[in-house]
Amino acid sequence: MRTFDVVVIGAGPAGEVAAGRLAERGLDVAIVEDRLVGGECAYWACMPSKALLRPYEALAEAKRNPGAAEAVTGALDVAAVLARRDEIIHDLDDSAQLPWLEDRKVTLIRGHGRISGERRVTVGDEEVEARKAVFLAPGSLPLMPPIEGLDTIDGAWTNREATTAKQIPESMVVMGGGVVGVEMSQAFQTLGCQVTLIEGARRLLPNEEEFACVQLTEALEHYGVNIRTGRKATKVEQADDGMVTVHMDDGTSATGERLLIALGREPSTKDVGVEVVGLEPGKLVEVDEHHRVPGHEWLYALGDVNGISLFTHMGKYQARLAADHVLGEDHSAQHGANGKQSPRVVFTEPQVAAVGHTSETAADAGIEVEIVETSTSGNAGGSFYGRNAEGTARWLVDKERGVVVGCTITGAEVADFLHAATIAIVGEVPVARLAHAVPSFPTRSEIWLKLAG
Ligand SMILES: Cc1cc2nc3c(=O)[nH]c(=O)nc-3n(C[C@H](O)[C@H](O)[C@H](O)COP(=O)(O)OP(=O)(O)OC[C@H]3O[C@@H](n4cnc5c(N)ncnc54)[C@H](O)[C@@H]3O)c2cc1C
Ligand SMILES: NC(=O)c1ccc[n+]([C@@H]2O[C@H](COP(=O)([O-])OP(=O)(O)OC[C@H]3O[C@@H](n4cnc5c(N)ncnc54)[C@H](O)[C@@H]3O)[C@@H](O)[C@H]2O)c1
């Protein structure tokens, strides 16, 4: 039997980062992967979706800037966008990822891993032993709620088919106006598809600030997306010609050539041996502050599988914390930019970037906040993002403690703005102190002057 210090199941961002960190610190590590090293994120989620969105964003910016605008005479080249997407996902070939593991001397075991006992994992016919720990990082799969007819649709898309599409359909119905739904609606609409977007909640992105949702809704409508909020999909049918009709609970319906299911995620725990340690297959794996499964000191669960925060960067963060715990360091996440308050960016045009509380969650948590708001591009730096690059920056300041507890910024290319807010929140920097953090001129970061006064 082969023996390692740590065996990691799943080579997505969480599993890879954990394996690499442990191996860099001298541990003997194996990582088990049944599809592609890099996980959902690299091939069917973050990377291809951003590749489909970015060309439109670049085009929109050029069109907003006199001088550049005159040079833009055509529309997006759809074939070139798809080809660039394929380049970014390495044509679904993971060989470019392997040297990173090899450099760290991580042993890659190809195949489906299952927990088979305490500190034991089977992959096919082989059983391997972990001297110190097993890390479970199998990610998540698209959620398929019990909507009548949903499982009978031939050729329905999930994020996998949408992000790797070789052709743009003429029309598409997107079920779910969360992050996948809005990003994919924008991508396909701007690539020439007529999209209808259905969201059961009152508004798109129901977990973000209402102003962000209003601005994004207006933008998507401007691109031509047909938005139907406040009504749930209840039944799906397919005609003989393949057209799909989604019926909603208000009696209306929407029809399209394709159906994209973007209704959330479920953890990949149906077939990974969690029953061996008394857990229920198909359910989230609950963890303690070290991302360790209670009652099993040798078992950690990282990334989407524990449901704490379904983002690549947070899975990687958990991986660093858990790896350090195995290495004897006793730190854990203890700040206000974790879980539901994690940093998050919706890569639409305008982007929605947020960290910490929203006004709604701060009120629910009983935090009395002062709301400070300004226009994202309403300063000298904003001039260079072109005409009508609208957006709003909102900070929530805890009145009692004088620190920022939430920030939401909308606008063109605001994603990289967010980290300053994350630092302010995680570092609990007093707002009075932030007055001495001077943004360069002329940058849009001068929005921070509004906060610090
Ligand atoms: C369309 C879309 C866009 C997204 N965009 C972003 C974004 O821009 N930014 C962001 O931060 N997040 C984004 N996300 C979320 C992000 O993709 C996930 O949070 C992230 O991939 C989770 O990482 P993970 O390592 O937990 O799991 P995964 O990336 O799912 O990787 C898990 C790996 O484990 C493997 N595996 C599973 N079971 C087994 C087994 N039994 N044996 C062996 N291997 C196994 C799988 O094949 C997979 O390779 C997006 C999600 C979607 C759907
Ligand atoms: N840019 C990014 O970082 C990024 C991009 C995509 C996904 N993600 C991650 O992936 C996760 C999953 O995304 P998602 O969009 O699949 O899930 P989600 O939970 O964000 O959104 C699903 C939406 O479907 C709606 N819904 C559920 N049932 C419905 C019904 N019957 N009819 C109509 N609407 C219904 C819900 O109200 C919800 O708004 C996100 O929470 C996020 O963490 C991140």
Side-chain angles (χ1 to χ4, degrees):
M1 182 191 291
R2 283 198 281 177
T3 301
F4 302 88
D5 288 323
V6 176
V7 177
V8 180
I9 301 178
E16 262 197 304
V17 166
R21 192 169 181 96
L22 290 162
E24 279 166 8
R25 306 286 201 289
L27 265 54
D28 189 12
V29 182
I31 192 162
V32 185
E33 173 56 52
D34 65 1
R35 279 186 301 145
L36 297 177
V37 172
E40 198 77 8
C41 173
Y43 306 98
W44 298 281
C46 327
M47 296 304 285
S49 59
K50 268 75 263 179
L52 293 173
L53 289 160
R54 177 66 187 143
Y56 180 81
E57 189 182 43
L59 182 65
E61 180 166 0
K63 284 185 172 171
R64 278 197 307 267
N65 274 285
E70 287 69 18
V72 178
T73 51
L76 285 178
D77 180 331
V78 174
V81 172
L82 299 183
R84 175 64 178 147
R85 182 275 322 272
D86 288 340
E87 204 180 323
I88 282 173
I89 63 173
H90 302 284
D91 289 312
L92 300 180
D93 175 349
D94 66 3
S95 47
Q97 298 274 131
L98 305 186
W100 193 88
L101 291 177
E102 286 158 12
D103 289 349
R104 287 158 183 78
K105 301 196 169 35
V106 174
T107 301
L108 171 62
I109 305 178
R110 298 269 188 191
H112 190 82
R114 289 182 189 85
I115 299 167
S116 49
E118 187 170 326
R119 295 188 171 83
R120 298 286 168 98
V121 172
T122 54
V123 189
D125 295 337
E126 184 183 13
E127 186 168 53
V128 294
E129 185 187 23
R131 286 185 289 269
K132 290 181 185 293
V134 172
F135 278 18
L136 194 57
S140 65
L141 296 166
L143 182 68
M144 296 292 170
I147 293 173
E148 190 184 335
L150 190 57
D151 53 358
T152 66
I153 304 301
D154 187 24
W157 282 2
T158 66
N159 64 292
R160 295 239 175 115
E161 294 78 16
T163 53
T164 54
K166 294 287 183 193
Q167 275 170 341
I168 305 301
E170 276 184 21
S171 57
M172 179 159 77
V173 182
V174 177
M175 282 164 64
V179 199
V180 173
V182 297
E183 285 189 349
M184 288 297 94
S185 291
Q186 163 148 356
F188 279 85
Q189 182 75 34
T190 55
L191 288 168
C193 176
Q194 175 55 59
V195 174
T196 304
L197 173 58
I198 299 171
E199 166 56 46
R202 182 175 61 80
R203 57 186 175 92
L204 301 178
L205 297 182
N207 299 325
E208 300 301 345
E209 291 278 9
E210 179 130 14
F211 77 81
C213 151
V214 169
Q215 291 174 10
L216 179 58
T217 303
E218 280 172 6
L220 289 175
E221 278 172 344
H222 173 72
Y223 304 138
V225 177
N226 181 348
I227 299 174
R228 314 272 188 91
T229 50
R231 43 205 124 172
K232 282 202 157 159
T234 50
K235 185 179 169 189
V236 190
E237 286 177 312
Q238 190 162 33
D240 292 343
D241 61 1
M243 297 293 280
V244 181
T245 299
V246 178
H247 298 274
M248 289 161 264
D249 59 4
D250 65 345
T252 61
S253 64
T255 299
E257 184 190 329
R258 282 282 171 203
L259 174 68
L260 170 58
I261 304 162
L263 297 168
R265 312 286 298 172
E266 65 170 33
S268 297
T269 52
K270 283 195 176 135
D271 186 21
V272 72
V274 290
E275 63 283 0
V276 171
V277 289
L279 302 176
E280 199 180 331
K283 296 278 191 252
L284 291 171
V285 178
E286 281 183 31
V287 291
D288 65 16
E289 70 274 24
H290 300 298
H291 304 99
R292 198 164 47 166
V293 180
H296 305 282
E297 59 170 24
W298 53 275
L299 183 61
Y300 293 73
L302 313 171
D304 281 10
V305 76
N306 63 34
I308 295 173
S309 182
L310 278 67
F311 295 105
T312 287
H313 45 279
M314 297 313 285
K316 295 199 299 186
Y317 172 57
Q318 294 171 10
R320 295 194 290 275
L321 291 178
D324 289 355
H325 191 246
V326 168
L327 292 161
E329 289 176 39
D330 199 11
H331 56 217
S332 57
Q334 292 169 352
H335 54 74
N338 194 23
K340 297 225 175 306
Q341 295 179 36
S342 303
R344 48 206 188 267
V345 177
V346 184
F347 289 86
T348 40
E349 166 81 10
Q351 294 179 344
V352 176
V355 56
H357 279 292
T358 61
S359 313
E360 208 172 316
T361 65
D364 290 347
I367 303 172
E368 209 187 324
V369 294
E370 182 194 350
I371 295 178
V372 181
E373 212 170 84
T374 189
S375 152
T376 306
S377 287
N379 56 25
S383 320
F384 310 113
Y385 284 79
R387 295 190 170 129
N388 304 319
E390 283 154 10
T392 305
R394 172 183 285 194
W395 295 266
L396 307 177
V397 179
D398 183 331
K399 281 189 178 169
E400 197 183 316
R401 295 192 301 138
V403 296
V404 179
V405 292
C407 179
T408 299
I409 310 177
T410 60
E413 292 187 55
V414 296
D416 275 309
F417 263 164
L418 192 65
H419 198 54
T422 306
I423 291 169
I425 292 175
V426 172
E428 300 182 350
V429 185
V431 170
R433 183 80 184 165
L434 285 173
H436 300 279
V438 181
S440 299
F441 181 87
T443 67
R444 288 186 300 168
S445 289
E446 284 198 320
I447 57 169
W448 284 85
L449 297 176
K450 175 79 177 179
L451 173 70

